[in-house]
Amino acid sequence: MHFLSFPSLKKLGETKNLILLSYRTRRRERENNPSHIMATSHVDVPGEPTETGTALLETATGAIQGFQPINSIHQHLCAFHFYADDMTRQVEAHHFCAHLNEDVRQCLIYDSPEKDARLIGIEYLVSESVFLTLPDDEKPLWHSHEFEVKGGYLFMPGVPGAVARVDLTKVCKTYGKTIHFWQVDRGDPLPLGIPQIMMALTRDGQLREDLAKEVEKKFAVSFEKERENRKDMTGPDHGIHPLANAAGKGLKTELREVDIPPATSMPRVFV
């Protein structure tokens, strides 16, 4: 629990007054000139630009509240995902990850590392020992990371190779389960449709050449050089499980209409 000292409360009061003043000012501006809004907004996302009053409120709450789950993020991985039912639909995926323990990580996935990046999905990474405990009907939903790590396609932007190597050696042995909510590759302005299971690269010839070159140029990396530097890395100790990577098949996420039991058939807790 966080307690605010008297000076903090005084400062909060001053901030609140600034927010109210800004709100009233912005309201007058909109009434006098609706098009005059000093703000920022992701150009591809519908909606009004973020106003100054909202930004001030965010500054105030950001100074008061704690963000422990977000603050646990310690790592940025860049890789590529493709839709489990269509390998031609490939996206650049920026993972911002935190360890839950030595065997499990959880990552927020954005379409870029920029300030206005869109949160497009999530990924869970588990060690081989954890993956092997999963039910067989669950395993196809997970993909291996061996090829994309050894191939140089999964990297840590801005991190020196020797430092990145320490963790990538571990990632090479893991499995991931990825779900994307926002299909940015088809230009969706918002997360539309149902969540999609995503897969990762497992062999040469899968990654689109134009996408590869674009990312190499953007982050000043060479997948060929990275591959050479990582050729001695190894994947899962027991080899890649045959049920992983959709068991070598395609997976399509679909909604199915079902009957909902009538309320009278549900057990009643309170009478």
Side-chain angles (χ1 to χ4, degrees), residues 256-267:
R256 181 167 58 89
E257 185 178 292
V258 297
D259 293 328
I260 299 177
T264 54
S265 67
M266 299 295 290

Side-chain angles (χ1 to χ4, degrees), residues 134-150:
L134 299 176
D136 283 352
D137 61 353
E138 170 69 19
K139 289 184 175 75
L141 302 178
W142 296 71
H143 59 263
S144 59
H145 292 126
E146 179 179 358
F147 177 80
E148 57 179 349
V149 172
K150 294 183 67 175

Side-chain angles (χ1 to χ4, degrees), residues 41-47 111 118-120 181-193:
S41 176
H42 195 296
V43 295
D44 295 326
V45 179
D111 65 336
R118 292 166 291 186
L119 177 63
I120 61 174
F181 305 99
W182 199 329
Q183 300 185 53
V184 292
D185 65 299
R186 66 182 188 185
D188 287 2
L190 290 170
L192 304 178

Side-chain angles (χ1 to χ4, degrees), residues 45-144:
V45 179
E48 294 297 320
T50 304
E51 298 185 1
T52 304
T54 301
L56 280 171
L57 178 60
E58 290 175 346
T59 300
T61 56
I64 298 169
Q65 295 182 301
F67 301 93
Q68 293 305 315
I70 303 300
N71 292 338
S72 296
I73 291 175
H74 63 279
Q75 184 179 73
H76 172 200
L77 300 171
C78 180
F80 303 93
H81 291 156
F82 62 83
Y83 291 79
D85 66 329
D86 188 351
M87 190 179 294
T88 66
R89 296 182 60 192
Q90 303 176 1
V91 295
E92 177 183 335
H94 292 269
H95 307 57
F96 292 85
C97 307
H99 274 85
L100 289 179
N101 56 46
E102 192 63 26
D103 292 285
V104 181
R105 324 181 186 199
Q106 54 187 10
C107 308
L108 299 175
I109 301 177
Y110 292 83
D111 65 336
S112 85
E114 305 305 323
K115 183 178 179 180
D116 63 349
R118 292 166 291 186
L119 177 63
I120 61 174
I122 56 174
E123 178 167 356
Y124 301 97
L125 281 74
V126 299
S127 65
E128 179 185 21
S129 59
V130 171
F131 175 79
L132 292 176
T133 67
L134 299 176
D136 283 352
D137 61 353
E138 170 69 19
K139 289 184 175 75
L141 302 178
W142 296 71
H143 59 263
S144 59

